[in-house]
Structure formats: C-alpha cells, structure tokens
Amino acid sequence: MLKSGFAVLSGLMLVFLVPGALGNTYPALVGLNFMYRLDREIYTMILKPDNTGEVDPIVYTPTLKGHPGLPDWLHFIQRNSTTDGFLYGTPTKDDLGPVDIEIVAFNKNTFETNMTTLTIDVKDNNPLPYQVQFMVENKNVEEFFHGDTRTRFLRDVRRVWQQSRGELFITKVVSALDMGHRNPLPLPELYEGVYIHVGSERGYSAQLQQAAGQVAVCERNPGIQPVVSIDNNIRNFDIDWCMFRLFSPEELATPAPAAPGDGVMGGVYVPRELTDEGRDFTLYFILIIIIPCIILIVLLLIITYIMCGRRQGVQKRDQATPAIQLTHHASIREASKELRDLSQKRDIKPRSTLPMFNAATPRRGEEGTPLTRAPQEPADENPRAPPPYRLPPDFPNQEESSFINSPPRDNSRGNVSQPGGSSNASPSLQRRPPPFMRSGEQIQGRNQPGDRGRPGVREFTA
C-alpha cells in the first residue's frame, strides 16, 4: 500500500514539478542531434497502472500529426514494452519549422490508451565544420541515450580532441543496422552498434590526425584491426577503428552527390519512351500458342500409336493361346451367360439339364458348346475294365495266393496265425484283396490286350 501511494505521489510530482512534461515544445537545431525520451514512469501514472505490483508493459506509437509515419529525419526506438522510448534525429535546413508529433501510449495490462502531442521546433544553425565519426560496438542506440552515457563519451573525446566543455557537440547518432550492418543474434553479449558523429568549430588535434593515419591500414588489409594510440583514452567504449574517419569542412559544406551505379544490366538505365504505335504480337502468338499446340499434337499421336497401333489383336492373341485355355475361357463365359439369362427369364430351360454327350460328338446338347476338358476317344460298345493290378518291379517273388489269402497278423500276441488254425482276430482285421479282385468272374477276360507277357505286370484272380 505504501509502495503504490509513493508511486502515485512521485508520478504527480513528475507531472506538476516538470512544467509541460507532456505536450511541451522542444527546440531542435539544424546539424545537431535531437533526442526526446518517453519516460514510462510518467505514462504509467497516466494510464492507470494495475495493482499486481508488476511492471506495466507500455507500447508507444509516435507519428507525424495527420500522417501515418514520422518525418524523414526523425527516428524512434523502443527495445521492448518495459523500457523507455526515444525519439532522435538530426534535422537539416529543409526541415525548418515546427513539427507536431502525436504519441499514442498503450498499457497492455489495463488496455488504457493515452495520446499526447509533442511539438519540435526546428531552428536554423550553421553546421559544425569539423566532425569525427566513431563506431561504438558495445552499445545500442537506446543504451547510448540512457543515463549519462553521452556525457561520459563526450568527456573522453574532449580529452583526445583537447577541447573544453561547451565546444564539442554530438551531431549525429545512427544505428549500425541503418548503415548496412547485420542484425546480431539475440544474445546479451551482442550489440547492434552505434555510429556517433562529434563536431566542433575548432580544427582536429594532433592525436586525431595521428589516429587517422594509423587506421589507413584497414584499406590495405581489410579485417585487420589497427593499433591506435588514442584507444586507451576512450574508456568503456569498444571502438571499431576501421570505421574511424575525419570529415573535412569541404565535405560537410558541399556533400558529394550520390554517383549512379552500374545497375543490374550495367550502365545507366534509360527507360523506353511511351509511343502510340501498336505492338506486333505475332511472335508472342507463335511462341505461346502455336508451338505448344504442335508439341501437344505430336505427343498425342505418339501416345495413340503406342496404345492403339501396337496392340496384338484378338486373332493373334488367340493363336498364341493354348486351345485348352481358350476352351476353359469359353466355358466360363457360357456359364456366366446362362446365369444371367436365368436371372432375367425364369422359364428358360437350363442347359445343364440337357444331355451331356450324344453318340455323334462329345459336345453338350445340340448347341455345340465346347467341353471344359479335352476330347476323349469314342465310347465302345463294351466298356473297358479298370486296368489290372500291377506290382512294382521290386515286389518279392512269392505266390499270388500268399499275398491274397495270407492270414492277418495277430497284433495282440505278436505272432501270425497259421492257415487252417484258429485265430482270435476279428473279421474286420482280415486282409482282403482290392475291390476289383474279389471276384474272378468280374476280372477274367477283361485284361487289356497286350498286357499279358509284359515285364513287371502280373495278373491275379481271386
């Protein structure tokens, strides 16, 4: 409670004790650096801070009044929503006069918004004839503007330039990113860098001129940091001495115009003159329409020849297909057609009820449908008997009767019952001849002609 009351009291003191802390008019001189700090403590009191005790994130959006952006010479930077914002820049003679800047502050916690108007009055001034350029590597722009950093830097430069207080001024502050340097990684030990110009009406000291001669080695050997005698005099600032430069009064009085580059195609670009003459699109029509159509037609003809002109044909394919395969295919098609016909008309007599064979030809019925198997020999009047039982060549030479009428083995006692003797085996275990050998009346006289006397073929009669 005491902390919040103290914060409110300090905010009121900043507002009332500092006349016109918000919305005041600030002078800016031509050729000198201008800086205005957007203090977040003042805006925190105005934007009704929350009572959580945390730092309120405030975002600033400064614009030229009636315009979406800032003037060309004015820049704004705010590292994050918990730091102060800075308006800075160096006006020129073309920017004389008052400039109204509208600043919109937004509290991201309470969603409170406040808009103030800042007036910058640019007045004429003679630019300083002698200026020195330093490149500080261990600082960012907002860090250079914060606190007494600028005062300490000017004190070190005065020691080198041998000037008294009030004779040196900061004329220009530019971020290294605006000068073409790369954006560093977001690490605490890496900085963007700042280009700082310091000017005076008095000439350069002997130490500065000596330093300018020592840094000339950078032009002959890029990437090598020279040893400069005044490096120890500028403390707490890492200076890139290869970027150190002394500007002559002539360069500052009449800046050299930007030389035109060679461009991408080389030389100075000369735009074509606009004329009312019509353009001839014949070449474009040939390249865009005719040639692609010709290529498309040729590809279409090639594809048509490959897919249609190189086919085997039904006749050639049937000649290369075995007859039995064609017969099977025709039988399947006929059966499928029969099933479709039966599903449409129930009064059709199925072909399967027709006689399978007739006496004249081995075809089904009278329609001549091929069979699903190879043709057989014509049926004889006397059907052929099954082939005789043939023993393998290595069958033991014994009497046929012993093979047919041999008594069964008694599995229970482990011996063979004798012929004529009693046997306890069941009749189902008696060995019996094959079915076609049980009756001699069925087998005798039915042997195949030519089988008698053939080696390895024996005939048996039961």
Side-chain angles (χ1 to χ4, degrees):
M1 186 69 181
L2 293 175
K3 291 183 178 179
S4 61
F6 180 75
V8 173
L9 181 61
S10 61
L12 293 176
M13 292 176 62
L14 287 172
V15 174
F16 292 105
L17 294 181
V18 180
L22 298 176
N24 197 5
T25 301
Y26 288 85
L29 298 178
V30 174
L32 297 182
N33 179 254
F34 168 82
M35 188 276 294
Y36 176 77
R37 176 187 174 189
L38 301 177
D39 195 346
R40 65 178 315 279
E41 294 183 359
I42 298 177
Y43 283 94
T44 301
M45 297 298 100
I46 296 175
L47 297 177
K48 298 180 181 180
D50 55 359
N51 298 324
T52 59
E54 299 179 356
V55 178
D56 291 340
I58 299 177
V59 179
Y60 306 101
T61 307
T63 58
L64 181 63
K65 188 175 182 178
H67 296 79
L70 292 172
D72 295 337
W73 64 272
L74 194 60
H75 306 276
F76 173 76
I77 186 170
Q78 183 185 14
R79 185 61 55 179
N80 51 62
S81 59
T82 59
T83 59
D84 298 335
F86 294 93
L87 284 168
Y88 66 98
T90 303
T92 62
K93 291 185 179 294
D94 298 334
D95 304 318
L96 295 176
V99 178
D100 294 333
I101 304 297
E102 292 182 346
I103 302 174
V104 178
F106 173 69
N107 191 332
K108 301 176 70 174
N109 281 351
T110 61
F111 301 100
E112 292 287 337
T113 304
N114 178 268
M115 185 177 67
T116 58
T117 302
L118 173 68
T119 302
I120 302 175
D121 188 9
V122 180
K123 297 181 179 181
D124 193 8
N125 183 36
N126 294 325
L128 299 176
Y130 299 94
Q131 296 186 20
V132 182
Q133 174 180 287
F134 297 92
M135 195 283 183
V136 181
E137 296 181 325
N138 62 337
K139 297 293 181 181
N140 294 329
V141 174
E142 69 277 5
E143 294 177 354
F144 182 76
F145 289 139
H146 190 272
D148 61 342
T149 306
R150 291 182 301 168
T151 304
R152 291 188 288 106
F153 182 77
L154 285 176
R155 181 184 58 196
D156 295 341
V157 175
R158 278 199 304 268
R159 188 182 301 113
V160 175
W161 205 330
Q162 299 176 358
Q163 299 281 347
S164 61
R165 184 184 295 270
E167 296 181 351
L168 286 181
F169 302 93
I170 296 177
T171 60
K172 188 176 183 181
V173 178
V174 182
S175 173
L177 300 181
D178 298 334
M179 300 296 291
H181 289 244
R182 293 184 178 181
N183 194 3
L185 296 175
L187 299 177
E189 63 274 7
L190 297 180
Y191 301 89
E192 297 177 357
V194 185
Y195 279 83
I196 305 171
H197 290 198
V198 180
S200 175
E201 294 183 354
R202 295 177 57 182
Y204 303 114
S205 63
Q207 294 180 353
L208 292 178
Q209 295 178 359
Q210 182 182 2
Q214 292 172 349
V215 300
V217 67
C218 295
E219 299 180 0
R220 299 188 298 269
N221 300 317
I224 298 178
Q225 288 293 334
V227 178
V228 182
S229 58
I230 63 175
D231 190 14
N232 296 329
N233 295 329
I234 302 178
R235 306 172 186 141
N236 301 325
F237 296 95
D238 295 338
I239 306 298
D240 185 2
W241 292 107
C242 288
M243 300 299 174
F244 178 79
R245 184 180 177 186
L246 301 179
F247 293 96
S248 63
E250 292 78 11
E251 293 178 351
L252 297 175
T254 56
D262 294 337
V264 179
M265 304 301 295
V268 180
Y269 174 72
V270 179
R272 296 177 56 184
E273 296 181 359
L274 297 178
T275 59
D276 297 336
E277 298 180 359
R279 296 178 60 183
D280 187 10
F281 293 96
T282 304
L283 180 60
Y284 297 99
F285 179 77
I286 295 174
L287 294 177
I288 299 175
I289 304 298
I290 302 300
I291 294 180
C293 290
I294 293 175
I295 296 175
L296 182 61
I297 292 173
V298 171
L299 292 177
L300 183 62
L301 293 177
I302 294 175
I303 295 175
T304 303
Y305 172 73
I306 292 175
M307 300 191 64
C308 300
R310 295 179 60 85
R311 297 186 61 183
Q312 295 180 357
V314 178
Q315 183 178 2
K316 184 177 181 180
R317 186 171 64 249
D318 291 345
Q319 292 177 359
T321 306
I324 187 65
Q325 185 176 352
L326 294 176
T327 303
H328 289 178
H329 179 67
S331 177
I332 293 172
R333 291 184 58 186
E334 185 65 24
S336 301
K337 183 177 182 304
E338 180 180 351
L339 291 177
R340 287 195 297 269
D341 294 343
L342 288 176
S343 63
Q344 296 176 0
K345 298 180 181 180
R346 298 294 182 176
D347 56 348
I348 297 178
K349 188 176 182 180
R351 299 190 184 98
S352 59
T353 59
L354 299 177
M356 184 65 180
F357 301 101
N358 53 31
T361 175
R363 297 181 180 276
R364 178 182 295 181
E366 297 179 355
E367 298 182 3
T369 304
L371 299 177
T372 59
R373 57 184 178 181
Q376 300 180 356
E377 298 179 0
D380 298 337
E381 296 180 359
N382 299 326
R384 296 176 59 183
Y389 183 78
R390 303 177 182 180
L391 295 177
D394 56 348
F395 194 84
N397 190 8
Q398 57 182 354
E399 294 296 330
E400 292 82 1
S401 60
S402 63
F403 173 77
I404 299 174
N405 299 322
S406 60
R409 182 180 296 274
D410 190 357
N411 297 329
S412 62
R413 299 182 180 181
N415 56 1
V416 181
S417 58
Q418 300 294 333
S422 62
S423 175
N424 297 328
S426 60
S428 62
L429 298 178
Q430 296 291 336
R431 176 169 295 189
R432 300 178 181 179
F436 60 85
M437 298 177 62
R438 295 177 184 174
S439 175
E441 298 178 358
Q442 299 176 2
I443 297 177
Q444 289 189 8
R446 296 183 182 180
N447 294 329
Q448 294 294 335
D451 290 344
R452 191 177 302 278
R454 183 177 298 176
V457 178
R458 299 180 182 180
E459 301 178 4
F460 301 93
T461 58

